[in-house]
Amino acid sequence: MSQLSNVEPFKRVSVLGAGAWGTALALNAVRAGRDVVLWGRNHENLQSISGTRQLPAYLPDITFDQPLETTTDVTEAADADCILLVAPAQSTRKIAEDIGFYVKKGTPVILAAKGLEKGTQRMMSEVLSDYLPQAVPAILSGPSFAADVARGLPTAVTIAAGSHPLAERLCATLSNTSFRPYASTDMIGVQLGGALKNVLAIACGIVVGKKLGASAHAALMTRGFAEMQRLALKAGARADTLMGLSGFGDVALSCSNAQSRNFSFGFALGDGKDLSELLAPGAKLSEGAFTARVATELADRFDVEMPIAQAVADVLDRKSSIDEAVTRLMSRPLRRESDHH
């Protein structure tokens, strides 16, 4: 087993995106002993972070245990040994375009969004390559809530890169006594695990919000995880990755906990809240709401059946009511559990 104690970490780390997850990861990097700068566009939020060590808009009731240096200057943020790009999946392209000119060749850029790009069906590493071909992509994913990381509660994640030495160096850069990253080279598996579990979390939230029972919830999680595996394996992921933190681990967290934005989104739908209200500007972001239809498009491309993702996409596209979607799922032809269809 590879030990990372002798791996030299990167010293200067910049975090692009001063929302809940970006701020939490910046705090974590400071705890790991790195020189950190946090970049964002909202002056008020940045002043709150650097002045009062709080971010009430995204991390209420938390006072940070470490000071954070903040900036709105993209050139300053790009001048780092290692960059964490922490933006929603559908915004990743724009930020990559904004910083593309300033990032030095060979700089590792860790992508922390769990989603697939609408319209292109591309993973975040593929999006990054359009505007930052000189950068070296990496992925951070796994069972982690921003509030837990911001508070310094124990958390374990996966960091994937194109080579083991880089993945291990990035793990050493962000590791501390409360944050334990595991290295991987399966960038496809880590990205698809994080993106697809958001769709499943919406489905699980719907079941709980509609009070369909604990048995239905358990069955949905299990069958949903099976269809996640089918697609990811066809796309080139490794089976052990999907059974790890960025696959099963993230499903276990996000599909059963109200702290999950995707689960909460689904719960509100199941409880009768109007979809338009949940998707309105200013509403809490649910990455799975964007990823659901993309997942079905990928399933068509790889000739994989994903009935649960299809049901979620149809509900979100208003092609089906929740009751109709549940009936359709329960009426599917009977088959062996191990069938890969």
Side-chain angles (χ1 to χ4, degrees), residues 30-94:
V30 173
R31 293 185 191 120
R34 311 302 149 232
D35 297 327
V36 180
V37 62
L38 174 63
W39 173 89
R41 291 194 175 98
N42 188 307
H43 290 269
E44 185 178 341
N45 285 345
L46 294 180
Q47 287 175 350
S48 179
I49 290 168
S50 57
T52 66
R53 296 192 187 181
Q54 294 180 334
L55 184 58
Y58 293 103
L59 294 167
D61 305 318
I62 299 177
T63 299
F64 310 144
D65 60 344
Q66 302 288 338
L68 280 175
E69 178 189 345
T70 62
T71 185
T72 57
D73 184 348
V74 71
T75 60
E76 181 183 359
D79 183 21
D81 302 320
C82 168
I83 296 172
L84 281 88
L85 203 169
V86 193
Q90 309 311 317
S91 303
T92 294
R93 180 176 294 275
K94 180 64 171 68

Side-chain angles (χ1 to χ4, degrees), residues 194-275:
L196 297 175
K197 66 86 190 175
N198 284 336
V199 182
L200 180 55
I202 291 176
C204 289
I206 289 172
V207 164
V208 176
K210 200 149 181 70
K211 298 181 174 59
L212 297 181
S215 300
H217 185 195
L220 189 72
M221 280 182 66
T222 306
R223 296 308 303 163
F225 183 55
E227 70 178 47
M228 279 176 53
Q229 291 177 294
R230 287 198 296 270
L231 177 58
L233 290 171
K234 274 285 192 79
R238 295 201 309 258
D240 60 323
T241 302
L242 300 171
M243 291 305 300
L245 289 164
S246 57
F248 174 76
D250 219 351
V251 167
L253 182 73
S254 300
C255 293
S256 58
N257 195 302
Q259 277 184 265
S260 162
R261 290 185 177 187
N262 295 283
F263 181 89
S264 296
F265 179 95
F267 184 95
L269 267 183
D271 197 36
K273 196 160 188 178
D274 187 75
L275 180 60

Side-chain angles (χ1 to χ4, degrees), residues 16 28 43 77 82 87 90 102 155 157 161 214 226 240 292-293 297 300 317 326:
L16 307 179
N28 180 76
H43 290 269
C82 168
Q90 309 311 317
Y102 306 104
T155 303
V157 299
D240 60 323
R293 182 54 66 193
E297 293 166 353
D300 288 342
D317 290 345
V326 171

